Amino acid sequence: MKKSYCAFLLVCFLLLLGACSDEHEEEQEEAAVEENKENLDPATGLFMEFIKENRDSDRVAFLATWNDEPIAEINTDLTMPLASVVKIIIAIEFAGQAEEGDIDPSEMVAMEEVDKYYFPNTDGGAHEAWKSTLKDGEQVSLEQIAQGMMQFSSNANTDYLIERLGLEEINNRIEELDLNNHEPVYPLTASIVIPQKVMEDKDIEADELEDALRDLDDDAYRQIAVDLFEEWQTEALSEAEKEAATALLDMSIQKVWSDRLTHAAAEDYHKIMRILNKKERYSEAFYQELDAIFSVELEDESIVRAGQKGGSTAFVLNQAVYAEDENGNRFEMILFTNDLNLSELEVAAMQMQALRDKLVNEEVFREEVREMLAE
């Protein structure tokens, strides 16, 4: 009996020792994580950690170059939702048609023609922010509409330009640029109404809607958007109809919407950014118009020419950038993310611009990123 009791005490001691050891190891790991966080660059460190930790997943694609030399190459051929980055293709088609004389950028358009594509509370205030900069709220030029698409990211402006430029012509531009991974472009605001359309056509309840949307193949999904878009050109939706459609967009339906946005790979948009940065393929007249709608001014005075377009949903934050400095150095960066949770989205939103700026301006940082992502 005494031996059994002693054995029991020994087992208890060993279990306690093991528990203490596990707890100690956990404390050491937590301390190491905290120490690592303290050593991270406060401007970019958390986002760079996210990129590094997810480089083997389908949640991030990152391609950056300096004078055609790679800084980062992660999942470059992985197709991901573009969100508003897709508007670059439409801007290129706009500049191309302006160059050819097919459209006149100075042509005036009634604002109500653009507003028929506006769905309140679906674009982060982009459309209203653009309109607030206009002197005349009744008439607007095609070039101003294109600027609103690129500089403010108005989805209504985007779909109006799709109407004017032609969806077939825009998608032909993808082929002309030889973008092998790029899916077809389709109207953005029309996709907001797809859930309502599917629900009505299939006569299903709201709790069946997510599965019904996911069961649609890509071609069928896009065709619904195109059909709706074409209907609106003769009879626009009323404000009440728009409100009824957006009421269905809970987070689960928004996730389907985000997942079904046009996809492309980082290498596709890096190819575009490199062409635009070098001013290749197209004429000087093309680039004059493109710069009028697409160029941005960076805070760094050494940057003589730059273009940038971001894109976001509740699950995605993307950026495509090109820049040239006064010494002729050229920088291109494509950074796509997907399936972000709220805290990851906040980190990306806070640090993506700083990452771009440091890669443009700091040679030491470019080397640090190369080394970090090569580990």
Side-chain angles (χ1 to χ4, degrees):
M1 180 71 179
K2 186 175 182 181
K3 289 182 179 180
S4 298
Y5 180 69
C6 290
F8 172 74
L9 289 177
L10 178 61
V11 170
C12 290
F13 174 73
L14 291 173
L15 289 172
L16 180 61
L17 184 63
C20 291
S21 176
D22 290 343
E23 185 177 343
H24 180 63
E25 288 178 4
E26 289 179 5
E27 289 175 352
Q28 286 183 319
E29 290 175 2
E30 290 175 1
V33 169
E34 290 303 317
E35 182 179 355
N36 184 48
K37 286 183 178 179
E38 290 176 2
N39 293 331
L40 292 175
D41 180 344
T44 63
L46 291 175
F47 193 38
M48 283 304 305
E49 280 291 297
F50 168 83
I51 293 170
K52 183 178 179 180
E53 290 172 1
N54 287 278
R55 61 185 171 182
D56 294 326
S57 75
D58 60 359
R59 302 180 68 214
V60 64
F62 186 23
L63 178 52
T65 52
W66 180 260
N67 293 328
D68 294 328
E69 291 295 319
I71 301 168
E73 295 178 295
I74 296 174
N75 296 328
T76 59
D77 61 352
L78 175 67
T79 62
M80 300 180 71
L82 294 172
S84 288
V85 169
V86 76
K87 295 169 184 175
I88 293 172
I89 293 291
I90 299 167
I92 291 172
E93 181 61 23
F94 182 91
Q97 291 195 23
E99 174 196 21
E100 295 295 326
D102 295 329
I103 60 168
D104 176 3
S106 66
E107 178 191 336
M108 301 304 290
V109 176
M111 184 63 77
E112 64 183 5
E113 289 299 306
V114 182
D115 282 345
K116 70 185 178 186
Y117 294 116
Y118 175 56
F119 283 67
N121 305 313
T122 62
D123 67 352
H127 189 64
E128 291 301 316
W130 166 67
K131 288 177 68 173
S132 71
T133 67
L134 303 174
K135 293 180 180 179
D136 183 355
E138 301 297 323
Q139 296 281 324
V140 63
S141 72
L142 283 177
E143 185 172 271
Q144 287 174 309
I145 294 169
Q147 289 169 341
M149 173 183 72
M150 296 304 291
Q151 297 171 17
F152 291 84
S153 213
S154 165
N155 292 335
N157 292 26
T158 304
D159 278 4
Y160 179 75
L161 290 175
I162 290 175
E163 176 187 333
R164 291 299 304 269
L165 301 173
L167 197 56
E168 182 178 356
E169 287 74 11
I170 291 166
N171 284 316
N172 286 343
R173 184 68 65 173
I174 294 171
E175 293 185 16
E176 182 257 326
L177 288 165
D178 196 25
L179 306 177
N180 296 325
N181 305 294
H182 205 300
E183 294 179 349
V185 174
Y186 65 93
L188 290 175
T189 59
S191 66
I192 293 172
V193 186
I194 291 176
Q196 183 186 56
K197 177 68 173 171
V198 169
M199 196 169 169
E200 291 174 354
D201 287 352
K202 293 184 178 293
D203 192 23
I204 58 177
E205 300 297 326
D207 60 359
E208 303 172 279
L209 181 56
E210 181 182 354
D211 288 341
L213 290 169
R214 293 197 181 279
D215 286 342
L216 290 169
D217 65 39
D218 290 338
D219 289 338
Y221 186 91
R222 285 191 289 262
Q223 191 58 51
I224 295 172
V226 172
D227 291 344
L228 289 166
F229 176 74
E230 291 176 349
E231 289 174 10
W232 298 350
Q233 290 172 37
T234 55
E235 185 176 358
L237 291 184
S238 68
E239 294 306 308
E241 288 172 322
K242 291 178 181 179
E243 186 176 348
T246 56
L248 293 173
L249 303 181
D250 63 21
M251 290 306 289
S252 66
I253 302 304
Q254 285 187 49
K255 184 66 170 70
V256 178
W257 174 82
S258 179
D259 289 343
R260 302 304 286 266
L261 291 170
T262 296
H263 284 52
E267 64 186 19
D268 294 319
Y269 276 80
H270 184 267
K271 181 177 184 178
I272 295 171
M273 294 295 100
R274 186 170 56 189
I275 289 170
L276 301 184
N277 208 6
K278 292 182 176 181
K279 287 191 169 183
E280 293 180 337
R281 191 182 291 255
Y282 303 114
S283 71
E284 184 60 32
F286 170 93
Y287 281 106
Q288 285 180 354
E289 185 56 43
L290 187 74
D291 286 350
I293 63 175
F294 188 25
S295 65
V296 296
E297 291 186 9
L298 303 184
E299 292 183 5
D300 185 351
E301 294 181 357
S302 70
I303 301 302
V304 296
R305 182 170 175 268
Q308 172 180 296
K309 188 73 195 80
S312 64
T313 72
F315 314 95
V316 166
L317 193 65
N318 296 337
Q319 191 170 94
V321 182
Y322 69 82
E324 181 181 0
D325 71 15
E326 59 191 2
N327 297 315
N329 295 304
R330 289 177 290 100
F331 170 75
E332 297 91 25
M333 183 186 86
I334 310 299
L335 185 48
F336 295 159
T337 64
N338 195 14
D339 291 329
L340 303 182
N341 61 40
L342 183 58
S343 62
E344 291 167 341
L345 199 62
E346 289 175 350
V347 167
M350 288 189 297
Q351 300 198 345
M352 188 175 282
Q353 293 292 83
L355 176 61
R356 177 207 69 186
D357 291 344
K358 288 172 73 68
L359 286 172
V360 168
N361 296 315
E362 300 178 21
E363 182 177 357
V364 171
F365 183 71
R366 290 194 291 270
E367 290 302 319
E368 289 175 354
V369 170
R370 278 194 188 99
E371 293 175 5
M372 178 181 183
L373 298 181
E375 293 175 357

